[in-house]
Structure formats: structure tokens, C-alpha cells
Amino acid sequence: MRVLGLETSCDETGVALYDSERGLLADALFSQIDLHRMYGGVVPELASRDHVRRAVPLIRQVLAEAGCSLQDVDALAYTAGPGLVGALLVGACTAQAMSTALGIPAVGVHHMEGHLLAPMLEENPPAFPFVALLVSGGHTQLVRVDGIGRYQLLGESLDDAAGEAFDKTAKLLGLDYPGGPEIARLAEQGTAGRFTFPRPMTDRPGLDFSFSGLKTFTLNTWQQCQAAGDASEQTRADIAYAFQQAVVETLVIKCRRALKDTQLKRLVIAGGVSANLQLREQLGAMLSKLGGQVFYARPRFCTDNGAMIAYAGCQRLLAGQQDGPQVAVHARWPMEQLPAV
């Protein structure tokens, strides 16, 4: 089965063609970072309009790179949520229109399920069951995964997601959007031990997260340094280092607890923040001590992309799931509501 996947949940237009027997045939991505950078964040209406401009050219590009035509496509998959409603509607309407015109099935895919399954596109995919850390700009969750659609939420952020905290902290420090890569870049020049930031909610039981207070702590630290006449680039780098370490170590502590609670030794990290090298390094070291393994997608499949949607959609289509001709998207959509495959 060849599935054309469309991802339009936020500010990246992703298209991919996945073959259930041959694997990923082609994929393309257009990022709107330059469009939104001047605003310091995503402007929903601008995002929707740009998806309209990019979707069809990217579909043509992917089909050409795969050496296929529309008649070679057996089904369509699109991101149905969660995400920005206007942006989601562009992908959903495009997919449903193509479904009707070509007489082939279409299925809406949960955005975070796409991220969770992205490591399945690698040469050494994880086997079920495993614990997944879904960590992005909109979500920070720990999930027990026993199969596709068989998810148990173990813990989640009670306020800001980790990626959101990275972006907001970068803005407080005067860094460009998107903030995550900028914080990581600046932290490479930071001095270890100059500042000590809290590891929120690690001094109490449970697997929930909270990063809002850490963001406030960073702001107070930066303002105190400025008031003392120390607003140097090195000070800013030292604060970025301390902030990143606090987030990474908090995530590692919670992952260790989740593995202990579930008695599992396989961990999947997925979502945009999973591209953070410090997070990968520290989780890898932790799993090595436990005699376990950590899995993640290649960097370009950590952020939003069409390949993860095409793959996730293919698995559900092969199991007989498909949507009717109606267009339905969800700004919020608990992953536990998904049917098992």
C-alpha cells in the first residue's frame, strides 16, 4: 500500500509517500520559520495561508522524486489534530478532496502518534512494549506503549511544555525564534556550575512535569545579572547552559522513574526537543547503566514532517481504519482516545 501523508498541524508543511513494502519513497518539507521569526512565534492565520500555497507544489515534488503519479497512490493520511485548527483544515481538506477525486480512502492521524511512531522509520526500530517521552513545543508526556493505539498516559506537563519553555526562555534572553536550537547553541559556550537552577517536581513522587516556574527562575536570574551590570554574552551563555541542564536532567529523572515503574528497559524519545543532543546523550547514558536502549528518529524526522504521518496512517489503513468524506479536525485530542490496531 502506498500512502501519501500530509502534515499541516502548525508551521511546517510536510508531504511524504510511504510504501508498506518498500518503506519511505520520498518526502519534502517546507518550514515557515522565516515567515514567523519577526513575530517571535507562530501567527496562526499566516501559517494557514502558507500551507495553502505550499501543499500542492510539495505533493507534486514528492511524487516526482518517487517516480510515481497520483494514480499510484492507494490512500491518503493527514494530520487531524491536535494543532492549529486553520492549519489542520488545509491538510484535511486537501486530503479529503484528493480522496474523493481519486476514489481512494483517507484517514486522519493523531499528530503525537505520528511523532511517537517516527523511530519506526529507522533501520533499528523499537519493539513493543516501551516507554515514550513525547517532548515538543506543545506537549511533554510520558506514555506506556504496548502497541499502536494501546497507550497509557503516565505523566504530562501541568503548564508549559518543555519546547514551549525553551522558546519562551530564548525570547526572554533576546534570542531568535525558534528558541530551542538557539538555547542549545548558546549553551555550548556556557560555564558549568556558575548558576544552579531547580529541577521542578523531581522532589515529589509522580511523573508529571512543570516548566513554568523554571522559566520564571531564568528571567529573575537574567534580570538580577542585568541590574548588577553584568549582561555580557558569556553570562547569557551561562544562563542558557543552566536552563538547558535543568530541563534535560528533569526529563531524565522522570524517564528513569517511568522505566522503573513499568519495569521496561526500552525508551523512545520523540518530538522536536528529542533532537537536543544533551538530552540524547544523557538519556543514552542512563539507559546504558540500566542495561536498556533508547530509540529516536533521525533529526529531520524529530520535528514535524510528512513521513511520520504517512507511516502512522499506513498502519491504521492496513488495519482497516479509514474516515468518511467529512472533514473533522481537533485542536485538542487525547491520544488515549485512539482505537487500538
Side-chain angles (χ1 to χ4, degrees):
M1 176 182 283
R2 288 179 180 171
V3 180
L4 185 68
L6 307 178
E7 156 60 23
T8 63
S9 65
C10 190
D11 62 336
E12 281 150 338
T13 312
V15 179
L17 186 63
Y18 180 83
D19 189 301
S20 58
E21 295 183 0
R22 297 169 54 196
L24 185 64
L25 301 181
D27 71 283
L29 181 74
F30 183 86
S31 174
Q32 302 175 7
I33 287 176
D34 291 339
L35 176 65
H36 301 286
R37 180 172 282 126
M38 69 176 68
Y39 304 102
V42 177
V43 181
E45 181 61 27
L46 294 181
S48 302
R49 293 178 183 180
D50 204 60
H51 286 311
V52 172
R53 285 192 290 267
R54 308 294 176 182
V56 171
L58 285 175
I59 291 171
R60 289 173 176 161
Q61 177 184 332
V62 165
L63 290 174
E65 289 179 1
C68 297
S69 68
L70 282 175
Q71 285 65 42
D72 297 316
V73 177
D74 299 309
L76 293 136
Y78 60 93
T79 304
L84 302 175
V85 170
L88 291 167
L89 283 170
V90 176
C93 290
T94 301
Q96 289 290 10
M98 293 177 66
S99 170
T100 300
L102 297 171
I104 57 178
V107 65
V109 173
H110 192 290
H111 180 72
M112 296 310 295
E113 181 174 70
H115 276 303
L116 187 153
L117 296 177
M120 299 296 185
L121 293 164
E122 304 303 319
E123 291 184 0
N124 180 32
F128 300 114
F130 55 77
V131 171
L133 172 66
L134 302 178
V135 57
S136 66
H139 299 81
T140 300
Q141 298 178 326
L142 279 165
V143 182
R144 178 186 171 116
V145 181
D146 290 297
I148 297 176
R150 298 170 61 194
Y151 309 130
Q152 178 189 355
L153 181 64
L154 303 174
E156 61 185 338
S157 179
L158 303 179
D159 41 57
D160 290 353
E164 182 181 7
F166 266 104
D167 287 341
K168 289 181 177 179
T169 297
K171 192 171 184 179
L172 294 174
L173 294 175
L175 302 176
D176 284 340
Y177 171 86
E182 292 298 314
I183 289 281
R185 177 191 59 78
L186 189 59
E188 292 179 0
Q189 312 302 319
T191 304
R194 181 180 175 189
F195 298 104
T196 301
F197 284 16
R199 276 56 174 161
M201 295 188 71
T202 58
D203 58 349
R204 66 189 74 178
L207 295 171
D208 287 332
F209 303 89
S210 173
F211 295 106
S212 179
L214 186 59
K215 177 188 63 183
T216 303
F217 191 95
T218 306
L219 173 62
N220 291 338
T221 301
W222 177 232
Q223 289 179 336
Q224 289 167 8
C225 291
Q226 289 177 307
D230 183 7
S232 67
E233 187 68 9
Q234 184 59 53
T235 293
R236 195 162 59 160
D238 294 344
I239 291 174
Y241 179 93
F243 171 81
Q244 177 175 258
Q245 285 303 109
V247 173
V248 168
E249 289 185 16
T250 298
L251 293 172
V252 171
I253 290 169
K254 297 287 186 170
C255 286
R256 186 187 299 116
R257 285 185 190 174
L259 291 167
K260 182 179 179 181
D261 290 350
T262 59
Q263 298 185 338
L264 296 175
K265 290 191 176 182
R266 283 187 292 270
L267 176 71
V268 165
I269 54 171
V273 182
S274 69
N276 184 282
L277 296 180
Q278 283 297 316
L279 179 61
R280 291 189 177 198
E281 180 180 315
Q282 293 194 32
L283 284 174
M286 184 263 287
L287 264 297
S288 180
K289 290 180 181 178
L290 295 177
Q293 291 179 283
V294 61
F295 301 85
Y296 40 76
R298 70 198 79 168
R300 69 190 180 101
F301 290 158
C302 290
T303 54
D304 296 351
N305 63 88
M308 68 183 192
I309 301 304
Y311 176 83
C314 184
Q315 307 315 304
R316 292 197 168 273
L317 286 157
L318 288 172
Q321 181 182 333
Q322 65 181 72
D323 295 339
Q326 73 281 359
V327 174
V329 297
H330 317 276
R332 298 182 183 275
W333 190 7
M335 202 165 61
E336 311 91 88
Q337 294 180 356
L338 297 176
V341 169

